[in-house]
């Protein structure tokens, strides 16, 4: 039975009022969620108790309570979903009467329908959850779980209990959502070096909650490999999973208790009807915001805007290239529900019709928009109308999460401000496009090269870009051989990487060594002391050269130094279409389809200058290349060779990647520098302290700012960049630790 559209607003208000006022919290399919220990206990209480046990160093108790808090939170969410489904049919006998009644009688029957559903849910929940579990959970506790902080505690607890595999798993799970947490990154590398810790430990325990992102990334990989049949299927799965995640989020909004306006600090809401209306609008606002929540990657601040339309755009292109014109038309018509006047989409649709031929009306009839997309858009528009009504008449604070909202949904009195905001956004996008090739890093290429024998092989003009340089003769052949031998010896000694597969491609093995690791291996007699010190000295040599050539402002600090070797896996190269390192920008998140680069975590936003010092050329592939911000248009290529140094500013004017290494082993030193002393490489200083303690001096250059020593010491665990909101479409590629 369909609801009379004239009564839609009344229905939504009544439903949310009853659901909000009746202790509708956690839901479950009855006794299946009741353990032998009794009803589910509140996860916030378990978390508080676990944290208290942690600070009392009661490790076993803390582990049990924190693990139980995680399990109970997931159980309660499953409970909500199940009870929502079990009670969906409640009151259907009343529902049939809504089409034949009107006025106040309709209101009474609607109230009866919603009341029956509410009672069903309350009973379903009550038999599986303790009374304390029906109380609202504080915003602070929700934030702790959203940032995965329980795993932060658990990784310490399991380390104390000498359960290293579990400690590594907890550390990895926390780090996925907190990629700027440098201490945890260091902990993970330590776990990798510990005996008994296998690669299986480094799995995200929360991955099941982010399956839509796994499908999204898998679809992108299929596109990159030009496997269009697989890409079309993956995009369809990604869209379906995204819709499922949104629906699940909406259920959690509906089944959670709603606070009264005065409890949320909302003033000026008097009277039962006004309060009921605000409660109703709060529920709708929560459900509208689900798209933002689902479109935000773990560890990201900003959501990917137009998340569903972007996937549909990819899907219809993949279907077209796979030869499925009927599917492409259906997907394109689904996309047009979001942007009905988009000229590109309309042009593509006309092209498909002309390609297929035949009667247009019959084609329209046979290729209707996907029903689930049509339902999603229609429901969203109805909710937006109610929310904008509340914004206009009740001063309700609503921020529309969607870019595709049509103007006719906005009340006349709000349209002027809405248009102004939209125009402001469009102007900002245009200004960013104009400034795309401007580099505000503070570096200016063309300074002197202070080392005898070093020559400029390629400059900005030859490299078709800004603040780029290739210098030859930075190392001798003997020095290259020494560092290559160091990399081999360190890998044999087990420096923590153990020749694992590359994080960027399954077709290559990956080995790495930092200055501190080299110093410790030398201290243990596993590598030559002079070789480890040469690795350090080469970094100082690179800094001196680039500080001079780019006319750097005073104060250029090491941020990270990494000796990286990539080895092609024999017999695994046939038909290979991927890159050794995908195109990215070192200090921001590149969105190739929009050209935007967002300076926020998980990018290493503090990096200002990047460098690669090559050690060899006896391999196939492995060229460094620069592109436009589309990540496709190649502007310049650099072939590695012993003693060749590439330097460039780390910002969005220099997107770059590495072609596939198809045979042999490619080794290079990757270095990053920062103008912020707060983010200097503390590990490098620790290595210097080790040598100093042994009475060994190391070659070290200093800049004016280092000599002053008037900035805070230490390295920040989090990025200091302000929150920015993504406004463009397109996929995101993050900054990496290797070049």
């Amino acid at each position: 039975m369909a609801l009379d559209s004239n009564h839609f607003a009344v229905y939504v208000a009544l439903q949310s009022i009853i659901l909000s006022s009746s202790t509708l919290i956690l839901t479950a399919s009855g006794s299946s969620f009741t353990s032998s220990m009794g009803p589910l206990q509140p996860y916030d209480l378990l978390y508080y108790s676990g944290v208290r046990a942690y600070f009392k160093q009661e490790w076993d108790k803390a582990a049990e309570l924190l693990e139980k808090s995680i399990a109970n939170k997931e159980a309660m969410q499953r409970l909500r979903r199940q009870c929502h489904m079990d009670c969906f049919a409640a009151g259907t006998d009343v529902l049939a009467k809504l089409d034949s009644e009107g006025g106040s009688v309709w209101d009474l029957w609607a109230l009866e329908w919603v009341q029956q559903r509410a009672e069903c849910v309350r009973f379903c929940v009550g038999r599986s959850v303790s009374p304390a579990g029906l109380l609202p959970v504080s915003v602070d506790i929700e934030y702790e779980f959203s940032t995965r902080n329980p795993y932060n505690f658990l990784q310490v607890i399991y380390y104390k209990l000498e359960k290293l595999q579990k400690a590594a798993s907890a550390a990895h799970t926390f780090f996925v959502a907190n990629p700027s947490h440098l201490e945890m990154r260091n902990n993970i590398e330590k776990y990798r070096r510990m005996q008994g810790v296998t690669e299986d430990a480094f799995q995200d325990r929360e991955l099941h909650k982010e399956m839509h992102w796994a499908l999204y990334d898998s679809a992108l990989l299929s596109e990159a490999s030009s496997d269009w049949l697989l890409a079309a299927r993956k995009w369809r799965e990604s869209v379906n999973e995204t819709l499922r995640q949104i629906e699940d989020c909406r259920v959690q909004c509906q089944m959670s208790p709603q606070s009264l306006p005065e409890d949320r600090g909302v003033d000026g809401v008097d009277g039962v009807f006004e309060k009921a209306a605000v409660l109703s609008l709060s529920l709708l606002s929560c459900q509208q915001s689900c798209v933002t929540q689902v479109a935000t990657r773990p560890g990201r601040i900003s959501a990917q805007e137009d998340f569903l339309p972007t996937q549909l755009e990819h899907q219809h292109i993949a279907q077209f290239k796979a030869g499925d014109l009927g599917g492409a038309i259906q997907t394109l018509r689904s996309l047009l529900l979001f942007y009905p006047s988009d000229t590109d989409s309309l042009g593509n649709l006309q092209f498909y019709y002309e390609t297929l031929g035949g009667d247009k009306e019959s084609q329209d009839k046979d290729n209707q928009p996907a029903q689930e997309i049509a339902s999603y858009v229609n429901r969203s528009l109805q909710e937006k109308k109610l929310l904008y009504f509340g914004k206009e008449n009740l001063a309700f604070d609503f921020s529309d999460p969607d870019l595709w909202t049509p103007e006719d949904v906005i009340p006349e009195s709000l349209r002027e401000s809405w248009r102004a905001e939209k125009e402001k956004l469009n102007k900002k996008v245009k200004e960013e496009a104009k400034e795309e090739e401007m580099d505000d890093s503070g570096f200016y290429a063309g300074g002197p090269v202070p080392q005898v024998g070093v020559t400029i092989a390629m400059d900005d003009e030859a490299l078709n870009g800004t603040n780029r340089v290739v210098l030859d003769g930075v190392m001798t052949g003997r020095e290259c051989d020494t560092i290559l031998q160091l990399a081999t010896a360190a890998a044999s000694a087990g420096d923590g990487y153990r020749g694992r597969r590359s994080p960027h491609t399954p077709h290559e093995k990956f080995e790495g060594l930092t200055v501190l690791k080299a110093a410790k291996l030398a201290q243990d007699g596993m590598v030559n002391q002079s070789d480890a010190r040469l690795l350090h000295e080469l970094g100082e040599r690179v800094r001196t050269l680039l500080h001079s050539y780019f006319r750097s402002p005073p104060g250029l600090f090491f941020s990270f130094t990494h000796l990286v070797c990539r080895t092609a896996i024999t017999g695994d190269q046939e038909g290979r279409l991927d890159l050794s390192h995908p195109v990215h920008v070192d200090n921001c998140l590149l969105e190739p389809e929009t050209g935007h680069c967002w300076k926020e975590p998980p990018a290493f936003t503090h990096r200002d200058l990047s460098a690669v010092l090559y050690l060899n050329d006896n391999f196939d592939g492995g060229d460094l290349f620069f592109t436009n911000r589309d990540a496709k248009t190649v502007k310049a290529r650099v072939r590695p060779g012993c003693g060749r140094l590439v330097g460039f500013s780390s910002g969005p004017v220099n997107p770059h990647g590495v072609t596939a290494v198809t045979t042999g082993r490619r080794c290079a030193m990757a270095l990053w520098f920062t103008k912020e002393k707060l983010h200097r490489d503390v590990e490098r200083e620790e290595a210097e302290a080790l040598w100093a303690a042994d009475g060994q001096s190391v070659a070290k250059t200093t800049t004016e700012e280092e000599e002053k020593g008037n900035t805070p010491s230490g390295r920040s665990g989090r990025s200091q960049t302000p929150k920015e909101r993504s406004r463009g479409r397109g996929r995101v590629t993050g900054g990496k630790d290797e070049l």
Side-chain angles (χ1 to χ4, degrees):
M1 275 298 178
L3 280 175
D4 185 336
S5 60
N6 293 327
H7 297 300
F8 182 83
V10 179
Y11 154 67
V12 173
L14 284 171
Q15 185 185 47
S16 51
I17 292 166
I18 299 300
L19 289 176
S20 301
S21 59
S22 345
T23 47
L24 292 188
I25 305 199
L26 322 159
T27 71
S29 132
S31 58
S32 62
F33 285 87
T34 305
S35 69
S36 58
M37 301 290 290
L40 285 173
Q41 297 301 309
Y43 63 87
D44 53 344
L45 176 61
L46 292 168
Y47 180 68
Y48 274 128
S49 302
V51 172
R52 280 196 290 268
Y54 171 89
F55 284 110
K56 291 179 181 178
Q57 299 186 13
E58 298 172 351
W59 306 121
D60 287 305
K61 182 179 179 181
E64 179 185 359
L65 289 168
L66 288 172
E67 288 286 10
K68 195 172 181 181
S69 72
I70 294 170
N72 276 22
K73 187 176 191 299
E74 293 189 3
M76 288 175 178
Q77 289 176 335
R78 293 195 303 271
L79 184 58
R80 290 173 177 172
R81 289 192 292 270
Q82 189 61 53
C83 280
H84 183 268
M85 289 188 292
D86 290 351
C87 296
F88 187 78
T92 50
D93 56 326
V94 178
L95 182 62
K97 302 177 182 180
L98 294 180
D99 280 337
S100 59
E101 300 289 351
S104 59
V105 177
W106 188 94
D107 293 346
L108 290 173
W109 282 122
L111 183 63
E112 173 68 14
W113 172 37
V114 175
Q115 181 66 42
Q116 286 189 28
R117 290 190 64 190
E119 289 176 355
C120 174
V121 172
R122 184 166 49 203
F123 175 75
C124 181
V125 171
R127 61 184 177 178
S128 299
V129 180
S130 68
L134 298 175
L135 298 174
V137 175
S138 72
V139 175
D140 291 338
I141 290 295
E142 292 291 7
Y143 178 78
E144 291 288 294
F145 278 87
S146 69
T147 57
R148 303 190 182 183
N149 212 38
Y151 296 100
N152 193 3
F153 288 111
L154 282 171
Q155 73 94 17
V156 176
I157 292 167
Y158 285 131
Y159 177 78
K160 295 289 186 181
L161 293 172
E162 298 183 354
K163 297 180 179 180
L164 300 183
Q165 192 84 347
K166 288 186 174 182
S169 177
H172 178 81
T173 302
F174 174 79
F175 186 69
V176 168
N178 300 273
S180 298
H181 199 288
L182 302 185
E183 180 183 353
M184 194 62 73
R185 185 178 72 181
N186 292 336
N187 288 345
I188 288 172
E189 291 305 323
K190 291 174 183 176
Y191 286 128
R192 289 189 187 279
R193 297 195 296 270
M194 291 180 181
Q195 189 173 3
V197 178
T198 67
E199 281 297 315
D200 292 339
F202 301 98
Q203 303 293 328
D204 183 5
R205 289 178 53 179
E206 302 274 320
L207 180 62
H208 60 285
K209 299 179 182 178
E210 311 291 345
M211 280 306 299
H212 58 299
W213 282 115
L215 290 167
Y216 182 93
D217 291 337
S218 178
L220 288 176
L221 284 174
S222 299
E223 275 189 4
S225 301
S226 299
D227 189 342
W228 298 111
L229 277 173
L230 181 60
R233 179 168 64 84
K234 289 294 185 181
W235 281 121
R236 183 170 60 253
E237 292 173 357
S238 179
V239 168
N240 291 339
E241 180 63 17
T242 298
L243 289 170
R244 192 196 70 77
Q245 293 276 2
I246 291 173
E247 288 306 307
D248 183 61
C249 173
R250 291 174 60 87
V251 168
Q252 304 304 323
C253 287
Q254 191 176 60
M255 305 297 283
S256 300
Q258 299 286 334
S259 303
L260 291 171
E262 56 265 32
D263 295 334
R264 295 198 305 270
V266 179
D267 299 324
V269 180
D270 299 319
V272 65
F273 292 108
E274 288 79 3
K275 289 182 179 180
V278 171
L279 282 171
S280 303
L281 294 170
S282 297
L283 169 61
L284 294 181
S285 181
C286 175
Q287 292 179 322
Q288 280 278 304
S289 69
C290 283
V291 66
T292 301
Q293 179 178 322
V294 171
T296 304
R297 281 185 185 269
R300 289 291 308 275
I301 293 174
S302 300
Q304 181 166 329
E305 299 288 6
D306 272 351
F307 191 44
L308 264 174
T310 296
Q311 294 181 69
L312 291 172
E313 201 167 25
H314 280 280
Q315 184 182 346
H316 98 78
I317 292 172
Q319 288 170 322
F320 169 70
K321 293 194 174 184
D324 180 12
L325 290 187
I329 291 175
Q330 183 186 53
T331 304
L332 193 54
R333 294 195 66 192
S334 299
L335 177 60
L336 282 164
L337 294 177
F338 293 94
Y339 291 100
S341 58
D342 182 71
T343 54
D344 289 338
S345 296
L346 291 171
N348 287 332
L349 189 62
Q350 183 62 33
F351 170 76
Y352 293 154
Y353 285 152
E354 292 172 356
T355 302
L356 285 175
D359 181 31
K360 180 178 180 299
E361 290 186 5
S362 62
Q363 289 175 358
D364 283 342
K365 187 177 180 180
D366 294 339
N367 297 288
Q368 293 291 318
Q371 182 58 47
E372 60 271 19
I373 299 296
S375 299
Y376 173 86
V377 172
N378 182 61
R379 180 185 63 191
S380 185
L381 290 175
Q382 295 287 348
E383 291 174 351
K384 290 177 191 294
K385 289 177 181 178
L386 288 172
L387 286 161
Y388 277 111
F389 175 85
K391 187 172 184 176
E392 179 185 33
N393 296 282
L394 296 172
F396 183 77
D397 185 19
F398 169 61
S399 297
D400 196 331
D402 296 310
L403 295 176
W404 56 267
T405 303
E407 185 171 323
D408 58 10
V409 170
I410 315 299
E412 191 66 44
S413 63
L414 299 177
R415 286 184 186 176
E416 187 175 344
S417 60
W418 180 80
R419 289 190 195 110
E421 184 65 27
K422 200 166 186 179
E423 179 61 31
K424 184 178 177 181
L425 173 62
N426 291 334
K427 184 178 179 181
K428 181 181 177 183
V429 171
K430 289 178 182 177
E431 288 176 350
E432 288 174 349
K434 289 180 181 177
E435 296 173 1
E436 182 173 320
E437 298 308 320
M438 293 180 62
D439 189 351
D440 60 356
S441 63
F443 297 109
Y444 303 96
V449 177
Q451 183 177 327
V452 176
V454 174
T455 59
I456 299 174
M458 303 175 78
D459 57 10
D460 280 353
E461 184 176 355
L463 291 166
N464 292 317
T466 303
N467 280 333
R468 302 172 183 173
V469 70
V470 176
L471 302 177
D472 282 342
V474 176
M475 296 174 67
T476 66
R478 185 172 183 177
E479 287 175 330
C480 289
D481 291 340
T482 298
I483 300 301
L484 286 169
Q485 291 169 9
L486 173 66
T488 301
S492 301
D495 73 316
Y497 288 87
R498 296 192 287 269
R500 69 179 188 270
R501 285 185 182 261
S502 168
H504 309 299
T505 172
H507 304 289
E508 298 174 17
K509 288 192 299 182
F510 178 86
E511 299 161 353
L513 181 69
T514 64
V515 173
L516 178 59
K517 289 173 187 174
K520 288 182 176 180
L521 289 172
Q523 196 175 48
D524 294 338
M526 304 181 79
V527 300
N528 290 333
Q529 190 69 251
S530 60
D531 296 352
R533 291 171 62 189
L534 176 60
L535 183 68
H536 174 277
E537 190 272 327
L538 288 171
E540 298 292 340
R541 194 182 300 177
V542 169
R543 178 168 68 162
T544 299
L545 287 166
L546 297 186
H547 187 276
S548 175
Y549 181 80
F550 286 114
R551 292 176 277 200
S552 169
L556 187 64
F557 304 93
F558 285 95
S559 173
F560 194 53
T561 304
H562 205 192
L563 171 57
V564 179
C565 292
R566 307 164 186 271
T567 305
I569 297 176
T570 304
D572 194 20
Q573 303 298 318
E574 185 176 352
R576 181 177 175 184
L577 297 171
D578 65 344
L579 297 172
S580 180
H581 195 145
V583 175
H584 62 283
V585 175
D586 284 346
N587 70 6
C588 57
L589 302 170
L590 179 63
E591 291 180 347
E593 293 183 359
T594 65
H596 295 315
C597 207
W598 304 103
K599 206 161 186 180
E600 62 180 44
F604 297 94
T605 56
H606 54 274
R607 291 178 176 172
D608 296 307
L609 192 62
S610 305
V612 194
L613 181 57
Y614 296 108
L615 304 177
N616 64 322
D617 61 2
N618 55 336
F619 53 87
D620 291 328
D623 291 354
L624 176 73
F625 62 93
F626 293 95
T627 71
N628 285 341
R629 291 198 196 188
D630 62 6
K632 297 177 182 177
T633 307
V634 176
K635 303 293 289 184
R637 282 179 178 267
V638 179
R639 178 63 192 166
C642 168
R644 169 163 281 190
L645 171 66
V646 182
F648 51 93
S649 57
S650 304
V653 298
N654 285 318
H656 57 282
V658 178
T659 62
V661 179
T662 55
T663 61
R665 182 176 184 237
R666 173 193 189 269
C667 293
M669 281 181 65
L671 306 99
W672 291 270
F673 302 93
T674 179
K675 292 181 282 188
E676 301 177 41
K677 189 174 182 181
L678 181 67
H679 292 285
R680 73 187 190 278
D681 190 350
V682 178
E683 280 197 6
R684 187 179 184 87
E685 295 178 357
E686 189 177 339
E688 292 165 357
L690 282 177
W691 282 314
D694 290 339
Q696 303 178 59
S697 61
V698 291
K700 180 174 171 61
T701 60
T702 58
T703 65
E704 182 181 332
E705 187 67 21
E706 287 177 291
E707 290 170 353
K708 290 179 182 177
N710 57 0
T711 39
S713 62
R715 192 191 319 189
S716 169
R718 291 184 179 271
S719 169
Q720 303 298 313
T721 54
K723 178 178 178 179
E724 293 185 65
R725 179 110 174 150
S726 171
R727 286 289 181 180
R729 295 192 195 179
R731 64 177 181 259
V732 176
T733 57
K736 305 295 181 184
D737 258 356
E738 308 83 29
L739 288 165

